[in-house]
Structures are given as structure tokens and as C-alpha cells.
Amino acid sequence: GLRRRGFTPETMHQIKKAYRFLFQSKLLLKEALQKIEDELPPSPEIQYILTFIKSCERGVIRKT
């Protein structure tokens, strides 16, 4: 879907990395968000993900 929407391979790779930090690592949510901010280059897509999760009032369901 991302390719059809015109995302570059590099952007898709960064989104996948952010997803892995958030949902496949054993980090706490705050730690995962900090790791994304520290390790991934700033981009509008990554910023959108971070803003969405930080402003989410009901939280995000993650595998425990």
C-alpha cells in the first residue's frame, strides 16, 4: 500500500523500523518513542506516528 501511495523505499524502511520499535521490541512505550526519536532521521511520516501515539487519549494496544 505504501508503494502505491508513492512512498520512497527509504521512507518505507523507516516506517518499518518505527513499527518494530513500537510493537515488536520489548521496550516500554516511552522507551520505544525515545528510541525512534534518537535513531531514526526526522521525517513528516515518523513525526506523524510519534504525534499520534503521544496524543492518543485511550492508549495503544501492544502485545504483552
Side-chain angles (χ1 to χ4, degrees):
L2 294 174
R3 191 176 314 127
R4 281 193 309 266
R5 300 292 284 176
F7 286 85
T8 65
E10 180 61 29
T11 301
M12 289 188 289
H13 180 69
Q14 298 305 326
I15 291 170
K16 286 179 187 178
K17 284 177 102 173
Y19 175 86
R20 286 187 189 115
F21 286 140
L22 288 168
F23 298 106
Q24 293 178 342
S25 71
K26 296 186 186 245
L27 298 171
L28 297 172
L29 185 60
K30 287 183 181 184
E31 293 171 347
L33 293 172
Q34 186 62 48
K35 191 163 185 138
I36 291 169
E37 290 175 345
D38 293 344
E39 294 189 15
L40 297 180
S43 72
E45 295 82 11
I46 297 300
Q47 190 58 46
Y48 181 84
I49 292 168
L50 293 172
T51 302
F52 175 80
I53 291 176
K54 288 178 180 179
S55 66
C56 188
E57 293 179 10
R58 297 181 75 188
V60 177
I61 297 177
R62 299 177 358 149
K63 183 178 176 182
T64 57

